[in-house]
Amino acid sequence: RHDYDRRSDVAASRVADYQSRRGVGRRVLLQGRGAGPRVHTRPVHSGGISFTLELPDRVIKTGSTLQGRFTLTNPNRAPVTGVTVSLEVCEWIRAGERREISREVVQSLTFSLDNPTSPEFTQDYNLQVPGDAIPTVEGTSISVIWLLKVRIESTPALEFKTPITVYTDVQSD
């Protein structure tokens, strides 16, 4: 399950709720376009692991590449065996019974740490949005939601999701 606040438009500041698999909510401010890359840092569990996500653009055109970087800071050297970054698309029914009707992993990258107890790990990522992808839709009856998901393989495993807005050009006749 994921929840996030969509009160502002795509170019304005946003607040996203992050939930770990343990169900602990995280509120993180992602700054607007004019402020440069959006960065958030949060301690994610008692092992002291902190996760920083640099996401230069959360609004992306179909057929484009979502680029960014993450840094894992692990001062207590808790074992982390890998990090998976994926781009997912979900369809939700909103009217009446709110439920997810489908979820698809569009692209996924897995990064292994050479040293599972390394105090820091930084990695760039590039994920491709297909040219024929369905754009983001926020409807009253149905929604199509794109998510950037990061899974940290630790004990316990940690998972974070943030919405990405996917758009397509409107063709004029």
Side-chain angles (χ1 to χ4, degrees):
R1 178 173 178 257
H2 64 278
D3 297 311
Y4 54 90
D5 190 307
R6 294 287 240 174
R7 288 177 285 184
S8 59
D9 66 352
V10 294
S13 295
R14 293 178 186 242
V15 175
D17 287 331
Y18 290 84
Q19 290 185 320
S20 72
R21 295 195 80 189
R22 297 166 69 190
V24 179
R26 310 279 184 211
R27 292 192 76 83
V28 181
L29 177 65
L30 297 175
Q31 298 175 353
R33 287 177 175 256
R38 293 152 187 86
V39 177
H40 76 292
T41 303
R42 279 298 205 222
V44 291
H45 68 70
S46 61
I49 295 173
S50 293
F51 177 74
T52 304
L53 177 66
E54 295 178 35
L55 187 57
D57 202 352
R58 292 183 49 189
V59 179
I60 188 162
K61 182 179 173 185
T62 55
S64 298
T65 301
L66 180 67
Q67 299 176 334
R69 169 185 300 203
F70 67 85
T71 301
L72 213 62
T73 306
N74 187 4
N76 296 338
R77 297 181 177 258
V80 176
T81 57
V83 178
T84 301
V85 180
S86 60
L87 185 61
E88 298 184 358
V89 62
C90 310
E91 293 181 37
W92 282 78
I93 291 179
R94 298 240 181 243
E97 179 187 337
R98 292 178 53 114
R99 64 182 174 90
E100 184 177 297
I101 55 176
S102 74
R103 179 180 295 247
E104 175 186 349
V105 175
V106 176
Q107 187 177 9
S108 179
L109 301 170
T110 301
F111 304 98
S112 298
L113 281 70
D114 293 334
N115 177 1
T117 58
S118 176
E120 186 170 288
F121 178 72
T122 300
Q123 182 68 51
D124 292 331
Y125 61 86
N126 296 306
L127 299 166
Q128 183 71 36
V129 177
D132 61 350
I134 299 170
T136 300
V137 176
E138 287 287 336
T140 55
S141 296
I142 193 165
S143 294
V144 176
I145 301 166
W146 286 82
L147 298 170
L148 175 64
K149 183 169 96 173
V150 179
R151 180 177 169 90
I152 301 168
E153 297 298 336
S154 63
T155 303
L158 303 167
E159 197 171 89
F160 300 90
K161 301 171 194 166
T162 189
I164 304 296
T165 302
V166 173
Y167 71 94
T168 187
D169 280 338
V170 176
Q171 306 226 350
S172 59
D173 296 333

